Every structure is written in C-alpha cells, then in structure tokens.
Amino acid sequence: MRSFGIPALVCTAILMPAVATASSHREAPMIAGMPRVDGSDFYMFKSYEAGRGGFVTLIANYLPLQDGYGGPNYFKLDPAALYEIHVDNNGDSAEDLTFQFRFTNTYKGLGVPTGASGGNLAVPLDNIGTIDAAGANLNVTESYTLSLIRGNRRTGTRSAITGDDGATFQKPADNIGIKSIPDYAAYAQQFIYDITIPGCATKGRVFVGQRQDGFVVNLGQVFDLVNLNPLGARDSGHNAIAGKNVTSLALEVPTSCLTAGNDPVIGGWTTASLPQSRVLNPNPQGPVTNGSAKGPAVEGGAYTQVSRLGSPLVNEVVIGITDKDKFNASEPKDDVANFGAYVLYPTLPVLVNALFSVPPPATPRNDLLAAFVTGITATVNGQPFKFTAPANLTVPGEMLRLNTSIPAEPIAQQKDLGFLACDLAGFPNGRRPYDDVVDIELTVVEGAIAENALNLQTCDVSGATPVVKNAGAVVNDGALPDPAAYLTVFPYLNTPTPGSVAATP
C-alpha cells in the first residue's frame, strides 16, 4: 500500500473542498445565498421499519445547518418555490414520476392587549403559548400540497395526492424548545400522514418537518490543514454538525408504484425551482400573504431550477467551481455532454499527485463513471448481478440509483460503509441515513474500485458470497456515524435538537 504520510493528509481537503459545508450544504456560489431552496441531502432506500419491506423511502433535505435556537422566525420553507423529488424508471435519465411539494405560509398576526388604542397589538414571536397539533397559539402556520406528475415535470399529467382529510397537509412548527413544545417527538408524530397516490393500490406516507441532520463530517479538522490521519481510526474525530437541524420532505411509496416493467432499478434526485423574476417592494404593507403585492416581494415568470442533488458530494468532489451553478440548474439527461470530462478525467486526484506524490488511478475513470453516472453491474458466481445499473439504460446521467429487489437490512445489521463492507443494501445502492458517504466516496475517489489500485477496502463479489477485501484500509475523516442517532421507523431522521432544553426558573 502506498504511504499516506502526514503531508498527504491535506489531500482530503483537496479531494473534498466542500465537505466542510457538508454533503451539499451551500455547495455552489448562488445557492449559498438561498438557504430555503438549498437541497442538502437526498436519501432513497428500501424501508427498514418492521413490516414495510414493500416500500421505498425518499427523503429530500433542505435549509441546512439550522440551529435549534434560530428564532424568532425559525426555518420556514419558501412558498414561491417548487420542491420536487424525481424518479426515473426507464433508464433515460429523465423524470417519469415527480412528487411536487408546494407550501403556503399563513401569518395570523396574533395580538395581545397592551392598552394601545385600536385593540390588540401583534406580537413579534412565532407563538404565544404552548403549541399542539391544532396550532391555535402559532402565529405562523405552514401547510403544503403534494402532487404526482407523470412524465415531464412541467407538461406531464398532474394528479393530487391526498390524505384522509383532503389534499392539504400541515407542517409541524420547528422545535422551539421544551416550554413551547414539551414532547416534540409525540407532537411531530401527528404530522405523519397516510396518503393515497393516484395509480397505486396501496397507501404511502408523507412527513414534512424539521429533523436532526443525519449527515456526518469532521469539519474542524478538515479546515485545519486536515489535522487528522485519513487511514487511522474512523472514530478518531468528531461530527462537527452534530445537533444541527434540517427540514425534511419524506415520502414512503410502495415499491411497485415506482418501478416499471420487470426492471427493479430506479433512479432518483431532488430539485428546487423558483420563479424567474422577483420585484422587491420598497413599502411592504400588512400581513405577508403568498403572492400579495403588499408583501416584501412579488415573484413571477417560468420556474427555474436552482438546486439539484442526486448522489452526495458530486457537485463538491467532481464538478469544477465554475460549473457548480450550471450543475444545479441542469438535468441528468444532459450530464454526459455537460460534465462528462469531470467524471472520466477528474481534476482533484491530479492535484493530489502534484502536491503530495500520491499517484492517481489511471484515466479515464470508468469506475467513477459507473459509481456516479451509469450504475454498477457486478458479477456474482460468474453471473451478472445488477447492483445499481438499470437494464434498460439508454441515456447515462448522474442520480442516486436503487435496486429495489435487494432486501433492506435492519439498522442493527447495516454497515455504514455500504458496498465497501459488502452490505449491498447500502450506498451506492441508494443511500440510507446511516451510510457514511464521506468515507465511502473518499475511498472510491482514491481508487478502491479502480482495480483496487491503492489496496483500499472494497467488496469482492466475484464469488457466490461477497467478501470484504483489505478490511480497515478506508480513507476517512475520523467522524463515524452512530446508529443510535437515527430512528428505526419512518421518517428515520431523528427528532430535531430543541432551541432550549430547560425552562428558566
């Protein structure tokens, strides 16, 4: 094995310059200033809650790096935006199914008597008392509608997804603190809805709300000239974003409603889009109402995609800085033309070699092409085994892929290194919250599946039983996920960190 001496530790910073902003948190110049539509992580996996083996869970996280104490406005989603989860099930790298979320924020202007003439004055806070599911004490409520679009996301056939009480769903308030919401887990549970999906005989589920960020990364050490040992103990550092919250859009959909024909492989990605134009109001008046000319801004025009996320870290690890905004505005079907060179001839391993004499794997990097663009096909016991490559692939494109025929593993049996640890239900076969995608991708970028050039850990699937090779040789950041930090049931990401944990006497 080549030596990774102390100077070579800096290679991790070169390989992953935006890991310091997490999986896809503020990863491109424009989206860095638009947190409400910044897609930070996307998960797609076979549901591993007991009794839910026939379902796939899709989770799109937005508005990253939330601190629990972020009042008085906390973290509302953008009512002008389209938040979408796309599924490709015929191998053409274009959406066949789109789950579209649209939000409405209602400002009540709750007031209290102060003696002023004209009655009560509006309070400046998000709530005026303890919050329950009815939301009577909430000053701002968030609701949303959910649609299924078959075909092109803008011109396809649109149908409303409904719950038992209609087509409008409520989003719970963020976890302000234990005085406002004494039992947040029980409170949020009331916002998990059974849903009827047009064309599906079995109901799915939806939840939209604040969750604890499940991504794990050792930020401080990476920034400090990578003050860590990338081939050392995987728990030698700490998760610098532990305790941060995100807003999750979580869906659980029957597997049969996502696949097409006999091919079990699906691809997925999430996007956010905004109207093309915005006119600021120099004299905003009255309560803020969606689309109101009295509000702080009026937005209009065609929707324009501003955020995109499929596999984690692609816009950080692979795409050049001058093309990051272009990637966020692009679609998978155009990836080969737009970004193919970045994948086959990546720049970052070349920089590693120039600075630290760690020779990169030979190019073209067909291993990265498979991992990110086409999906991986392996051979088990001499027979082709579709890991994440769709049988009907006609147009390559970057997205997260999932072979739905591979059963889910209960979290107690999950391996955080996924495929590198021969857990075929883990990343890059979809992505589960527990998968340590930083360590997996660092190891792959350095050549783990490029004919195992650096003798790094990988899985040998050439025999009847997959076997881990070179166990322990994992390029890592020292931040190790904890399975106890995740729920074992939908929506899988943990209860968000509260803004306060103890009432003042």
Side-chain angles (χ1 to χ4, degrees):
M1 181 183 302
R2 294 182 178 90
S3 172
F4 280 78
I6 295 300
L9 303 185
V10 186
C11 77
T12 308
I14 299 171
L15 282 169
M16 305 283 286
V19 163
T21 51
S23 176
S24 192
H25 302 34
R26 300 199 298 248
E27 86 289 349
M30 186 172 75
I31 205 66
M34 308 166 73
R36 292 198 297 174
V37 288
D38 182 4
S40 58
D41 285 285
F42 178 56
Y43 303 94
M44 183 170 68
F45 54 92
K46 290 294 294 291
S47 297
Y48 47 88
E49 178 181 340
R52 307 296 287 187
F55 293 81
V56 169
T57 296
L58 306 104
I59 305 173
N61 284 348
Y62 285 89
L63 221 170
L65 303 177
Q66 300 176 16
D67 290 309
Y69 51 81
N73 293 297
Y74 296 95
F75 303 97
K76 311 294 188 291
L77 292 175
D78 192 338
L82 298 180
Y83 297 88
E84 296 173 314
I85 297 174
H86 310 282
V87 174
D88 168 29
N89 60 22
N90 64 4
D92 64 356
S93 292
E95 66 274 8
D96 298 297
L97 305 171
T98 294
F99 297 91
Q100 184 184 94
F101 297 77
R102 301 192 69 168
F103 290 85
T104 296
N105 300 343
T106 302
Y107 289 73
K108 298 179 181 177
L110 298 176
V112 293
T114 63
S117 61
N120 294 349
L121 286 181
V123 301
L125 305 177
D126 226 31
N127 60 306
I128 61 171
T130 302
I131 298 170
D132 58 19
N137 290 327
L138 266 179
N139 219 349
V140 187
T141 59
E142 291 182 90
S143 60
Y144 62 96
T145 59
L146 178 57
S147 299
L148 172 63
I149 304 166
R150 296 184 184 275
N152 183 279
R153 68 182 81 174
R154 299 292 174 258
T155 62
T157 303
R158 176 187 301 271
S159 304
I161 294 175
T162 58
D164 294 340
D165 297 323
T168 300
F169 306 92
Q170 301 298 316
K171 174 180 174 290
D174 294 337
N175 197 356
I176 295 170
I178 64 169
K179 189 172 183 179
S180 292
I181 311 175
D183 186 347
Y184 193 88
Y187 164 72
Q189 181 73 23
Q190 299 173 84
F191 296 85
I192 297 176
Y193 297 96
D194 291 330
I195 54 175
T196 299
I197 303 170
C200 292
T202 304
K203 288 188 175 183
R205 291 190 287 186
V206 67
F207 171 83
V208 173
Q210 192 179 51
R211 296 282 92 188
Q212 212 174 112
D213 197 332
F215 187 68
V216 173
V217 64
N218 187 359
L219 290 183
Q221 301 298 107
V222 172
F223 270 132
D224 185 23
L225 297 179
V226 192
N227 186 16
L228 51 82
N229 179 2
L231 286 178
R234 294 183 58 228
D235 61 353
S236 59
H238 71 288
N239 177 21
I241 63 172
K244 298 288 186 181
N245 297 326
V246 293
T247 298
S248 295
L249 283 58
L251 279 169
E252 189 180 53
V253 181
T255 302
S256 60
C257 298
L258 296 174
T259 57
N262 296 322
D263 194 340
V265 176
I266 59 174
W269 69 101
T270 182
T271 64
S273 301
L274 288 171
Q276 284 183 335
S277 64
R278 170 177 290 179
V279 179
L280 300 180
N281 187 352
N283 187 27
Q285 302 290 318
V288 178
T289 304
N290 295 348
S292 171
K294 295 183 178 182
V298 177
E299 304 192 40
Y303 281 98
T304 300
Q305 183 179 303
V306 295
S307 180
R308 168 189 168 190
L309 179 60
S311 295
L313 305 170
V314 170
N315 211 8
E316 294 82 353
V317 177
V318 180
I319 308 300
I321 192 168
T322 54
D323 280 331
K324 290 183 181 294
D325 289 332
K326 181 177 181 179
F327 181 85
N328 270 342
S330 65
E331 299 181 41
K333 63 183 178 61
D334 300 317
D335 284 346
V336 172
N338 288 337
F339 312 111
Y342 285 123
V343 177
L344 289 171
Y345 303 93
T347 59
L348 300 178
V350 176
L351 292 174
V352 171
N353 184 37
L355 294 171
F356 307 108
S357 300
V358 179
T363 57
R365 291 293 300 273
N366 292 317
D367 58 321
L368 297 185
L369 184 72
F372 291 126
V373 180
T374 65
I376 298 171
T377 298
T379 299
V380 177
N381 200 21
Q383 299 297 319
F385 173 70
K386 286 189 300 179
F387 185 35
T388 58
N392 54 0
L393 179 68
T394 57
V395 179
E398 190 285 307
M399 64 185 76
L400 199 60
R401 288 187 172 88
L402 174 68
N403 186 335
T404 62
S405 69
I406 298 175
E409 292 282 359
I411 196 164
Q413 278 75 55
Q414 290 178 18
K415 305 294 192 298
D416 69 327
L417 289 175
F419 175 73
L420 295 184
C422 292
D423 181 353
L424 302 185
F427 183 76
N429 184 31
R431 179 188 175 190
R432 305 166 301 196
Y434 182 52
D435 291 333
D436 192 344
V437 294
V438 171
D439 289 6
I440 296 170
E441 291 202 358
L442 278 174
T443 306
V444 169
V445 166
E446 280 300 292
I449 62 174
E451 298 181 357
N452 213 17
L454 294 180
N455 295 319
L456 298 172
Q457 180 169 317
T458 191
C459 178
D460 182 358
V461 293
S462 61
T465 302
V467 177
V468 175
K469 294 176 60 178
N470 304 312
V474 176
V475 184
N476 72 86
D477 66 342
L480 194 64
D482 177 6
Y486 306 93
L487 302 180
T488 60
V489 298
F490 183 83
Y492 296 100
L493 297 180
N494 214 345
T495 302
T497 302
S500 75
V501 295
T504 302

